[in-house]
Each structure stands twice: as structure tokens, then as C-alpha cells.
Amino acid sequence: MMTVKEISDITGISVRTLHYYDEIGLLVPTGKSEAGYRLYDDKALERLRQILFFREFDLPLKEIRAVMENPSFDRNGILQMQRRMLMRKKELFISHYGSEEEWRRQFLENAASEKAQKNYAKVIEWYGSKEKAMDAQKNATGAGLVTAYQKRIAAVMQNAQT
């Protein structure tokens, strides 16, 4: 279990934002410590990753909550939707750069940047080790999840450079 401060440090999301997500019922802590600190487990972290993914596409929090709380929430359907959104974003990047090869070249160049390496270090810290981070990706709850998150990371890194 991690505190809201630890989650903030690892993800770069402000404590206030995490508190707000709790207030609106979007990301409710798993529990509270004896001192009253919000605590989050791995399942909550997975939910946060989903929220952040939707936020990458500028979906309003109200819509994200509605989708995630829908009793007929179809994880595979959501993953397919996320995949389509990522593919569209990739198409936009390619049209911006002129070709997929140029996009890849710039991506690789950006991936080697100090900022990208710091982000990678945050992911490792989030999971506790490189092995745990890789295991989380390998044992994700959907066949397309690993690919979706790899593409999301590429998009996030690209956005960080622009």
C-alpha cells in the first residue's frame, strides 16, 4: 500500500489532483492509515493508469467516471477503443512528421533524452523494480493492454517534447 504522497511522487500527479479524484469518487483510496492518510493498492494504481490513459485524450473526468463505473464496463471493448484512439494519434504524428520512419527516428531520439529516462525511472519506482514493471505489462488484464500502454507511453513522450 502506498500513500497519496508516494503515488504523487511516483506518477507526477499532484496530491491535490489525487484528493480531487477521491472527492468526486473517481479514484477512491483502498483504505486509510491509522493517521488518516489515504492508502492505495495495486488495483487502485491500475485504475489510476486507466484514468490517466483516458485523460491523454482529453476526456472529461465525468465521462471517464461514467465509463469506468458502468456495470457493463467491457474492459476489452475499452481497450479496443483506446487502441483506435492511439492509432488515430499515431496517424496524426505520422502526418506531422511526413513518414513513419521519421516519426520512429524522432521517437528513438526522444526516448534517449534525459526527461524520457527520468520518466522510465518513475515507472520502475512505481512498481518497485524493473522486473515487476515488466511483469505487470506481461500479465496485464487484456491481450492488447501491453501494446496499448506502449503506444500510450510513446504518445506521452511525444507530447512532452512538443
Side-chain angles (χ1 to χ4, degrees):
M1 299 280 266
M2 289 190 270
T3 66
V4 70
K5 174 72 170 111
E6 291 170 321
I7 299 296
S8 175
D9 289 344
I10 291 168
T11 63
I13 299 167
S14 73
V15 169
R16 178 65 198 122
T17 297
L18 293 168
H19 285 182
Y20 181 68
Y21 287 177
D22 180 17
E23 289 170 22
I24 65 171
L26 185 60
L27 182 67
V28 178
T30 308
K32 291 198 177 186
S33 70
E34 289 181 17
Y37 293 110
R38 294 168 172 92
L39 299 173
Y40 298 89
D41 64 6
D42 289 341
K43 187 175 179 181
L45 289 175
E46 175 62 29
R47 183 172 174 93
L48 179 58
R49 287 196 310 174
Q50 291 173 349
I51 293 166
L52 295 176
F53 188 88
F54 284 122
R55 291 298 295 151
E56 282 296 315
F57 296 98
D58 298 321
L59 288 175
L61 295 176
K62 189 175 186 178
E63 289 181 28
I64 294 171
R65 182 176 171 205
V67 167
M68 294 179 76
E69 291 181 353
N70 186 331
S72 63
F73 178 71
D74 175 14
R75 183 175 298 261
N76 288 332
I78 295 301
L79 290 173
Q80 290 301 320
M81 179 181 72
Q82 290 173 340
R83 183 179 186 281
R84 286 190 301 272
M85 293 167 81
L86 285 169
M87 293 305 290
R88 177 65 183 133
K89 208 166 203 182
K90 179 182 174 184
E91 289 169 8
L92 291 173
F93 287 142
I94 291 171
S95 69
H96 175 76
Y97 291 104
S99 70
E100 187 169 350
E101 291 75 27
E102 180 61 17
W103 174 79
R104 283 184 181 157
R105 186 191 69 72
Q106 291 212 13
F107 170 76
L108 292 173
E109 187 176 292
N110 291 333
S113 73
E114 184 178 341
K115 185 173 185 173
Q117 293 303 311
K118 285 181 181 179
N119 288 338
Y120 178 69
K122 280 185 180 182
V123 171
I124 300 301
E125 184 180 348
W126 186 343
Y127 284 100
S129 72
K130 181 179 177 182
E131 292 74 25
K132 287 181 182 177
M134 295 302 292
D135 186 53
Q137 296 302 315
K138 289 178 187 173
N139 297 314
T141 55
L145 191 58
V146 173
T147 302
Y149 281 120
Q150 288 171 340
K151 290 179 182 180
R152 176 183 176 260
I153 288 169
V156 169
M157 293 172 83
Q158 184 62 38
N159 285 340
Q161 299 299 316
T162 58

